Amino acid sequence: MSVVEQYVRAHILTDADLPDQDDGAIPVVLRYDPDHDPRRVCVALPGRGGASGVREWTFSRALLEQGLRAPAGTGDVRVWPCGRVQSVVEFHSPHGCSVVQFETKALMRFLRRTYTAPAQPVAH
C-alpha cells in the first residue's frame, strides 16, 4: 500500500463548526492515495463531536501545489500563500466556510511525499 498520510496542526481562522481549541490549533490529516486517484489529495478536519464530526475535502493535488505560490482555486476549495511561512486553505460547504492556516513547510513536505509515493502495479 502506498498511501501517504501526514498529521499536522493548523490554525482555524473562522468556522463555528470546528471544535474549540485554546490556541486555535486543530489536528488535521493530509492524505494521498495514488491507487485510488493519483491526481487528488484529501484534507480531513475535525468537527464538533470528535471523530464522528470529521469533515473531509478531496481536491486536486495540482491546486494545492499552485496555491502555495499564488492564489488558486474556485468553488469549494481555494488555496493561497499568506506571508513567507504560512498558507491558507479555504473550504466551502453548505454548512459554512472553514479558513485554515497551515505552515507552508508542512504542506510542501506532504506534497514531496506524494510525488515519491510509488503507485501499486495494476494486476492483469
Side-chain angles (χ1 to χ4, degrees):
M1 183 183 268
S2 57
V3 173
V4 173
E5 203 168 75
Q6 183 171 318
Y7 296 83
V8 299
R9 293 197 55 84
H11 286 81
I12 188 67
L13 301 178
T14 174
D15 192 346
D17 291 336
L18 287 175
D20 296 325
Q21 300 287 330
D22 292 335
D23 63 356
I26 58 169
V28 177
V29 179
L30 308 173
R31 190 176 321 109
Y32 171 71
D33 185 350
D35 300 327
H36 179 69
D37 188 343
R39 294 176 305 271
R40 299 180 73 73
V41 295
C42 177
V43 175
L45 300 173
R48 292 202 188 280
S52 63
V54 170
R55 294 183 294 164
E56 293 188 352
W57 279 268
T58 302
F59 57 97
S60 164
R61 177 171 62 167
L63 169 63
L64 180 59
E65 185 174 10
Q66 292 165 2
L68 297 181
R69 294 187 304 271
T74 58
D76 293 346
V77 180
R78 298 173 188 154
V79 183
W80 66 89
C82 180
R84 298 182 76 193
V85 297
Q86 303 289 321
S87 294
V88 172
V89 183
E90 183 177 286
F91 303 101
H92 292 265
S93 76
H95 306 290
C97 175
S98 298
V99 180
V100 184
Q101 187 174 45
F102 293 87
E103 285 190 21
T104 301
K105 278 191 213 181
L107 296 176
M108 290 174 65
R109 188 176 325 117
F110 171 69
L111 281 171
R112 271 195 304 275
R113 291 179 63 211
T114 70
Y115 284 111
T116 60
Q120 295 294 325
V122 177
H124 294 279

